[in-house]
Amino acid sequence: MAYILQVDFKMDGPFGDEMAVGFKELAESINEEKGMLWKIWTEDAEAGEAGGIYLFETKETAAAYLEMHSKRLNGFGITAINSKIFSVNESLTKINNGPVNA
Amino acid sequence: MAYILQVDFKMDGPFGDEMAVGFKELAESINEEKGMLWKIWTEDAEAGEAGGIYLFETKETAAAYLEMHSKRLNGFGITAINSKIFSVNESLTKINNGPVNA
């Protein structure tokens, strides 16, 4: 069973194309994280917020990543972080074509 | 460009298989919602929380669904709802195999 990690936080930018350039290497490094299946990068330039939706293989790998990532965000000066780890209801998700078998 | 809607709230249950049976018809109806591309059903029985991660075609369809869904949840007695709508950073999401082209 896969687990969803949702993370969001206040951020002054960069957003959009500038964000894509600035965080390219960070994104590449995320592919090497244990248990990480995919990440959707989220942003709201108007609200000054950003974050990510991740799929992890296990609850433990999601929690370990969140601990590491929270410290990394703290290092960027970002301290007010919303985060939750959820299990996936697979039967209902299948009905709605949710991409959890990546 | 696709938009992520993330929703979560406190709930006493049902969870797991019982949730899958109880919300099957609701899930089927969600496939008919304008602009809805997919939904991942999330749950945390221990914390008494549930929710969903959705991909919508536009910000407007995500916002319209959220308004309708919030009222529906209120009707279930669920009033403390966390929700955010984010745009997707497509370049970074592509690096991490995020499933936003469903």
PDB file of all heavy atoms in Angstrom, chain B residues 26-52:
ATOM      1  N   LEU B  26     -20.561   7.667  -4.152  1.00  0.00           N
ATOM      2  CA  LEU B  26     -20.038   9.035  -4.139  1.00  0.00           C
ATOM      3  C   LEU B  26     -18.821   9.132  -5.066  1.00  0.00           C
ATOM      4  O   LEU B  26     -18.699  10.084  -5.854  1.00  0.00           O
ATOM      5  CB  LEU B  26     -19.663   9.433  -2.705  1.00  0.00           C
ATOM      6  CG  LEU B  26     -19.085  10.832  -2.527  1.00  0.00           C
ATOM      7  CD1 LEU B  26     -20.034  11.895  -3.045  1.00  0.00           C
ATOM      8  CD2 LEU B  26     -18.779  11.106  -1.056  1.00  0.00           C
ATOM      9  N   ALA B  27     -17.946   8.116  -4.991  1.00  0.00           N
ATOM     10  CA  ALA B  27     -16.755   8.112  -5.853  1.00  0.00           C
ATOM     11  C   ALA B  27     -17.162   8.104  -7.327  1.00  0.00           C
ATOM     12  O   ALA B  27     -16.618   8.861  -8.143  1.00  0.00           O
ATOM     13  CB  ALA B  27     -15.876   6.903  -5.524  1.00  0.00           C
ATOM     14  N   GLU B  28     -18.143   7.281  -7.654  1.00  0.00           N
ATOM     15  CA  GLU B  28     -18.595   7.221  -9.054  1.00  0.00           C
ATOM     16  C   GLU B  28     -19.133   8.575  -9.509  1.00  0.00           C
ATOM     17  O   GLU B  28     -18.878   9.007 -10.636  1.00  0.00           O
ATOM     18  CB  GLU B  28     -19.649   6.123  -9.203  1.00  0.00           C
ATOM     19  CG  GLU B  28     -19.002   4.727  -9.184  1.00  0.00           C
ATOM     20  CD  GLU B  28     -19.983   3.581  -8.915  1.00  0.00           C
ATOM     21  OE1 GLU B  28     -21.169   3.857  -8.669  1.00  0.00           O
ATOM     22  OE2 GLU B  28     -19.543   2.423  -8.936  1.00  0.00           O
ATOM     23  N   SER B  29     -19.843   9.265  -8.613  1.00  0.00           N
ATOM     24  CA  SER B  29     -20.407  10.573  -8.982  1.00  0.00           C
ATOM     25  C   SER B  29     -19.300  11.610  -9.193  1.00  0.00           C
ATOM     26  O   SER B  29     -19.456  12.542  -9.987  1.00  0.00           O
ATOM     27  CB  SER B  29     -21.380  11.055  -7.903  1.00  0.00           C
ATOM     28  OG  SER B  29     -20.685  11.623  -6.804  1.00  0.00           O
ATOM     29  N   ILE B  30     -18.186  11.441  -8.496  1.00  0.00           N
ATOM     30  CA  ILE B  30     -17.078  12.406  -8.625  1.00  0.00           C
ATOM     31  C   ILE B  30     -16.485  12.376 -10.036  1.00  0.00           C
ATOM     32  O   ILE B  30     -16.014  13.387 -10.552  1.00  0.00           O
ATOM     33  CB  ILE B  30     -16.020  12.153  -7.523  1.00  0.00           C
ATOM     34  CG1 ILE B  30     -16.593  12.578  -6.168  1.00  0.00           C
ATOM     35  CG2 ILE B  30     -14.717  12.893  -7.814  1.00  0.00           C
ATOM     36  CD1 ILE B  30     -15.737  12.210  -4.964  1.00  0.00           C
ATOM     37  N   ASN B  31     -16.545  11.205 -10.674  1.00  0.00           N
ATOM     38  CA  ASN B  31     -16.052  11.107 -12.062  1.00  0.00           C
ATOM     39  C   ASN B  31     -16.855  11.983 -13.022  1.00  0.00           C
ATOM     40  O   ASN B  31     -16.384  12.284 -14.122  1.00  0.00           O
ATOM     41  CB  ASN B  31     -16.099   9.654 -12.548  1.00  0.00           C
ATOM     42  CG  ASN B  31     -14.970   8.825 -11.967  1.00  0.00           C
ATOM     43  OD1 ASN B  31     -13.939   9.370 -11.567  1.00  0.00           O
ATOM     44  ND2 ASN B  31     -15.156   7.522 -11.921  1.00  0.00           N
ATOM     45  N   GLU B  32     -18.063  12.366 -12.607  1.00  0.00           N
ATOM     46  CA  GLU B  32     -18.918  13.194 -13.475  1.00  0.00           C
ATOM     47  C   GLU B  32     -18.691  14.684 -13.243  1.00  0.00           C
ATOM     48  O   GLU B  32     -19.268  15.511 -13.951  1.00  0.00           O
ATOM     49  CB  GLU B  32     -20.406  12.861 -13.221  1.00  0.00           C
ATOM     50  CG  GLU B  32     -20.763  11.378 -13.323  1.00  0.00           C
ATOM     51  CD  GLU B  32     -20.341  10.788 -14.659  1.00  0.00           C
ATOM     52  OE1 GLU B  32     -20.547  11.467 -15.678  1.00  0.00           O
ATOM     53  OE2 GLU B  32     -19.784   9.670 -14.667  1.00  0.00           O
ATOM     54  N   GLU B  33     -17.881  15.046 -12.248  1.00  0.00           N
ATOM     55  CA  GLU B  33     -17.691  16.467 -11.930  1.00  0.00           C
ATOM     56  C   GLU B  33     -16.844  17.148 -13.002  1.00  0.00           C
ATOM     57  O   GLU B  33     -15.830  16.606 -13.459  1.00  0.00           O
ATOM     58  CB  GLU B  33     -17.015  16.621 -10.558  1.00  0.00           C
ATOM     59  CG  GLU B  33     -17.814  16.051  -9.403  1.00  0.00           C
ATOM     60  CD  GLU B  33     -19.101  16.816  -9.092  1.00  0.00           C
ATOM     61  OE1 GLU B  33     -19.271  17.941  -9.620  1.00  0.00           O
ATOM     62  OE2 GLU B  33     -19.930  16.277  -8.331  1.00  0.00           O
ATOM     63  N   LYS B  34     -17.263  18.354 -13.353  1.00  0.00           N
ATOM     64  CA  LYS B  34     -16.603  19.104 -14.423  1.00  0.00           C
ATOM     65  C   LYS B  34     -15.108  19.330 -14.124  1.00  0.00           C
ATOM     66  O   LYS B  34     -14.768  19.845 -13.053  1.00  0.00           O
ATOM     67  CB  LYS B  34     -17.313  20.455 -14.589  1.00  0.00           C
ATOM     68  CG  LYS B  34     -16.953  21.172 -15.869  1.00  0.00           C
ATOM     69  CD  LYS B  34     -17.760  22.445 -16.038  1.00  0.00           C
ATOM     70  CE  LYS B  34     -17.211  23.258 -17.219  1.00  0.00           C
ATOM     71  NZ  LYS B  34     -17.808  24.591 -17.270  1.00  0.00           N
ATOM     72  N   GLY B  35     -14.268  18.960 -15.064  1.00  0.00           N
ATOM     73  CA  GLY B  35     -12.837  19.238 -14.955  1.00  0.00           C
ATOM     74  C   GLY B  35     -12.057  18.275 -14.092  1.00  0.00           C
ATOM     75  O   GLY B  35     -10.826  18.374 -14.001  1.00  0.00           O
ATOM     76  N   MET B  36     -12.718  17.309 -13.451  1.00  0.00           N
ATOM     77  CA  MET B  36     -12.042  16.365 -12.542  1.00  0.00           C
ATOM     78  C   MET B  36     -11.264  15.329 -13.354  1.00  0.00           C
ATOM     79  O   MET B  36     -11.846  14.643 -14.184  1.00  0.00           O
ATOM     80  CB  MET B  36     -13.104  15.668 -11.675  1.00  0.00           C
ATOM     81  CG  MET B  36     -12.683  15.282 -10.260  1.00  0.00           C
ATOM     82  SD  MET B  36     -11.513  13.902 -10.107  1.00  0.00           S
ATOM     83  CE  MET B  36     -12.447  12.555 -10.842  1.00  0.00           C
ATOM     84  N   LEU B  37      -9.960  15.240 -13.111  1.00  0.00           N
ATOM     85  CA  LEU B  37      -9.137  14.283 -13.858  1.00  0.00           C
ATOM     86  C   LEU B  37      -8.874  13.015 -13.038  1.00  0.00           C
ATOM     87  O   LEU B  37      -8.944  11.920 -13.553  1.00  0.00           O
ATOM     88  CB  LEU B  37      -7.819  14.940 -14.268  1.00  0.00           C
ATOM     89  CG  LEU B  37      -7.998  16.107 -15.249  1.00  0.00           C
ATOM     90  CD1 LEU B  37      -6.680  16.851 -15.445  1.00  0.00           C
ATOM     91  CD2 LEU B  37      -8.510  15.608 -16.597  1.00  0.00           C
ATOM     92  N   TRP B  38      -8.538  13.166 -11.774  1.00  0.00           N
ATOM     93  CA  TRP B  38      -8.407  12.008 -10.879  1.00  0.00           C
ATOM     94  C   TRP B  38      -8.489  12.448  -9.428  1.00  0.00           C
ATOM     95  O   TRP B  38      -8.324  13.622  -9.110  1.00  0.00           O
ATOM     96  CB  TRP B  38      -7.146  11.180 -11.140  1.00  0.00           C
ATOM     97  CG  TRP B  38      -5.786  11.858 -11.165  1.00  0.00           C
ATOM     98  CD1 TRP B  38      -5.001  12.075 -12.269  1.00  0.00           C
ATOM     99  CD2 TRP B  38      -5.012  12.350 -10.039  1.00  0.00           C
ATOM    100  NE1 TRP B  38      -3.816  12.683 -11.909  1.00  0.00           N
ATOM    101  CE2 TRP B  38      -3.782  12.854 -10.558  1.00  0.00           C
ATOM    102  CE3 TRP B  38      -5.227  12.419  -8.666  1.00  0.00           C
ATOM    103  CZ2 TRP B  38      -2.795  13.417  -9.737  1.00  0.00           C
ATOM    104  CZ3 TRP B  38      -4.241  12.982  -7.845  1.00  0.00           C
ATOM    105  CH2 TRP B  38      -3.039  13.464  -8.387  1.00  0.00           C
ATOM    106  N   LYS B  39      -8.779  11.465  -8.562  1.00  0.00           N
ATOM    107  CA  LYS B  39      -8.774  11.691  -7.113  1.00  0.00           C
ATOM    108  C   LYS B  39      -8.073  10.529  -6.427  1.00  0.00           C
ATOM    109  O   LYS B  39      -8.337   9.362  -6.741  1.00  0.00           O
ATOM    110  CB  LYS B  39     -10.199  11.788  -6.561  1.00  0.00           C
ATOM    111  CG  LYS B  39     -10.228  11.894  -5.032  1.00  0.00           C
ATOM    112  CD  LYS B  39     -11.625  11.965  -4.431  1.00  0.00           C
ATOM    113  CE  LYS B  39     -11.536  12.070  -2.897  1.00  0.00           C
ATOM    114  NZ  LYS B  39     -12.866  12.120  -2.255  1.00  0.00           N
ATOM    115  N   ILE B  40      -7.185  10.846  -5.507  1.00  0.00           N
ATOM    116  CA  ILE B  40      -6.602   9.861  -4.594  1.00  0.00           C
ATOM    117  C   ILE B  40      -7.308  10.041  -3.250  1.00  0.00           C
ATOM    118  O   ILE B  40      -7.299  11.141  -2.685  1.00  0.00           O
ATOM    119  CB  ILE B  40      -5.079  10.060  -4.449  1.00  0.00           C
ATOM    120  CG1 ILE B  40      -4.382   9.821  -5.792  1.00  0.00           C
ATOM    121  CG2 ILE B  40      -4.511   9.142  -3.367  1.00  0.00           C
ATOM    122  CD1 ILE B  40      -2.897  10.191  -5.794  1.00  0.00           C
ATOM    123  N   TRP B  41      -7.953   8.977  -2.772  1.00  0.00           N
ATOM    124  CA  TRP B  41      -8.669   9.028  -1.485  1.00  0.00           C
ATOM    125  C   TRP B  41      -7.678   8.767  -0.358  1.00  0.00           C
ATOM    126  O   TRP B  41      -7.018   7.727  -0.333  1.00  0.00           O
ATOM    127  CB  TRP B  41      -9.767   7.972  -1.467  1.00  0.00           C
ATOM    128  CG  TRP B  41     -10.939   8.272  -2.352  1.00  0.00           C
ATOM    129  CD1 TRP B  41     -10.942   8.289  -3.721  1.00  0.00           C
ATOM    130  CD2 TRP B  41     -12.275   8.592  -1.941  1.00  0.00           C
ATOM    131  NE1 TRP B  41     -12.210   8.602  -4.180  1.00  0.00           N
ATOM    132  CE2 TRP B  41     -13.042   8.782  -3.114  1.00  0.00           C
ATOM    133  CE3 TRP B  41     -12.893   8.724  -0.694  1.00  0.00           C
ATOM    134  CZ2 TRP B  41     -14.399   9.098  -3.074  1.00  0.00           C
ATOM    135  CZ3 TRP B  41     -14.241   9.045  -0.664  1.00  0.00           C
ATOM    136  CH2 TRP B  41     -14.976   9.236  -1.839  1.00  0.00           C
ATOM    137  N   THR B  42      -7.601   9.701   0.603  1.00  0.00           N
ATOM    138  CA  THR B  42      -6.630   9.587   1.685  1.00  0.00           C
ATOM    139  C   THR B  42      -7.341   9.354   3.013  1.00  0.00           C
ATOM    140  O   THR B  42      -8.461   9.832   3.227  1.00  0.00           O
ATOM    141  CB  THR B  42      -5.776  10.869   1.763  1.00  0.00           C
ATOM    142  OG1 THR B  42      -6.632  12.002   1.913  1.00  0.00           O
ATOM    143  CG2 THR B  42      -4.932  11.041   0.518  1.00  0.00           C
ATOM    144  N   GLU B  43      -6.670   8.630   3.915  1.00  0.00           N
ATOM    145  CA  GLU B  43      -7.276   8.351   5.220  1.00  0.00           C
ATOM    146  C   GLU B  43      -6.196   8.053   6.252  1.00  0.00           C
ATOM    147  O   GLU B  43      -5.102   7.591   5.915  1.00  0.00           O
ATOM    148  CB  GLU B  43      -8.246   7.173   5.128  1.00  0.00           C
ATOM    149  CG  GLU B  43      -7.632   5.892   4.603  1.00  0.00           C
ATOM    150  CD  GLU B  43      -8.631   4.725   4.606  1.00  0.00           C
ATOM    151  OE1 GLU B  43      -9.279   4.498   5.638  1.00  0.00           O
ATOM    152  OE2 GLU B  43      -8.733   4.044   3.577  1.00  0.00           O
ATOM    153  N   ASP B  44      -6.517   8.362   7.509  1.00  0.00           N
ATOM    154  CA  ASP B  44      -5.645   8.070   8.642  1.00  0.00           C
ATOM    155  C   ASP B  44      -6.568   7.708   9.804  1.00  0.00           C
ATOM    156  O   ASP B  44      -7.023   8.581  10.548  1.00  0.00           O
ATOM    157  CB  ASP B  44      -4.778   9.294   8.964  1.00  0.00           C
ATOM    158  CG  ASP B  44      -3.795   9.027  10.094  1.00  0.00           C
ATOM    159  OD1 ASP B  44      -4.008   8.059  10.860  1.00  0.00           O
ATOM    160  OD2 ASP B  44      -2.813   9.788  10.213  1.00  0.00           O
ATOM    161  N   ALA B  45      -6.850   6.419   9.917  1.00  0.00           N
ATOM    162  CA  ALA B  45      -7.823   5.951  10.912  1.00  0.00           C
ATOM    163  C   ALA B  45      -7.354   6.288  12.327  1.00  0.00           C
ATOM    164  O   ALA B  45      -8.155   6.656  13.197  1.00  0.00           O
ATOM    165  CB  ALA B  45      -8.038   4.444  10.761  1.00  0.00           C
ATOM    166  N   GLU B  46      -6.031   6.191  12.555  1.00  0.00           N
ATOM    167  CA  GLU B  46      -5.473   6.461  13.891  1.00  0.00           C
ATOM    168  C   GLU B  46      -5.711   7.917  14.309  1.00  0.00           C
ATOM    169  O   GLU B  46      -6.128   8.186  15.437  1.00  0.00           O
ATOM    170  CB  GLU B  46      -3.966   6.198  13.854  1.00  0.00           C
ATOM    171  CG  GLU B  46      -3.444   5.377  15.003  1.00  0.00           C
ATOM    172  CD  GLU B  46      -2.015   4.949  14.721  1.00  0.00           C
ATOM    173  OE1 GLU B  46      -1.807   3.981  13.951  1.00  0.00           O
ATOM    174  OE2 GLU B  46      -1.103   5.604  15.253  1.00  0.00           O
ATOM    175  N   ALA B  47      -5.458   8.834  13.375  1.00  0.00           N
ATOM    176  CA  ALA B  47      -5.627  10.262  13.671  1.00  0.00           C
ATOM    177  C   ALA B  47      -7.085  10.697  13.527  1.00  0.00           C
ATOM    178  O   ALA B  47      -7.426  11.814  13.917  1.00  0.00           O
ATOM    179  CB  ALA B  47      -4.740  11.089  12.748  1.00  0.00           C
ATOM    180  N   GLY B  48      -7.932   9.829  12.946  1.00  0.00           N
ATOM    181  CA  GLY B  48      -9.323  10.216  12.698  1.00  0.00           C
ATOM    182  C   GLY B  48      -9.417  11.307  11.645  1.00  0.00           C
ATOM    183  O   GLY B  48     -10.109  12.307  11.829  1.00  0.00           O
ATOM    184  N   GLU B  49      -8.693  11.103  10.552  1.00  0.00           N
ATOM    185  CA  GLU B  49      -8.692  12.100   9.473  1.00  0.00           C
ATOM    186  C   GLU B  49      -8.852  11.413   8.120  1.00  0.00           C
ATOM    187  O   GLU B  49      -8.454  10.255   7.948  1.00  0.00           O
ATOM    188  CB  GLU B  49      -7.395  12.899   9.463  1.00  0.00           C
ATOM    189  CG  GLU B  49      -7.218  13.770  10.703  1.00  0.00           C
ATOM    190  CD  GLU B  49      -5.982  14.646  10.642  1.00  0.00           C
ATOM    191  OE1 GLU B  49      -5.071  14.333   9.848  1.00  0.00           O
ATOM    192  OE2 GLU B  49      -5.933  15.627  11.371  1.00  0.00           O
ATOM    193  N   ALA B  50      -9.412  12.149   7.192  1.00  0.00           N
ATOM    194  CA  ALA B  50      -9.524  11.655   5.819  1.00  0.00           C
ATOM    195  C   ALA B  50      -9.557  12.839   4.878  1.00  0.00           C
ATOM    196  O   ALA B  50      -9.621  13.995   5.319  1.00  0.00           O
ATOM    197  CB  ALA B  50     -10.778  10.804   5.662  1.00  0.00           C
ATOM    198  N   GLY B  51      -9.508  12.552   3.585  1.00  0.00           N
ATOM    199  CA  GLY B  51      -9.539  13.635   2.609  1.00  0.00           C
ATOM    200  C   GLY B  51      -9.266  13.137   1.212  1.00  0.00           C
ATOM    201  O   GLY B  51      -9.534  11.970   0.901  1.00  0.00           O
ATOM    202  N   GLY B  52      -8.739  14.027   0.402  1.00  0.00           N
ATOM    203  CA  GLY B  52      -8.451  13.645  -0.973  1.00  0.00           C
ATOM    204  C   GLY B  52      -7.464  14.583  -1.630  1.00  0.00           C
ATOM    205  O   GLY B  52      -7.350  15.752  -1.245  1.00  0.00           O
TER     206      GLY B  52
END
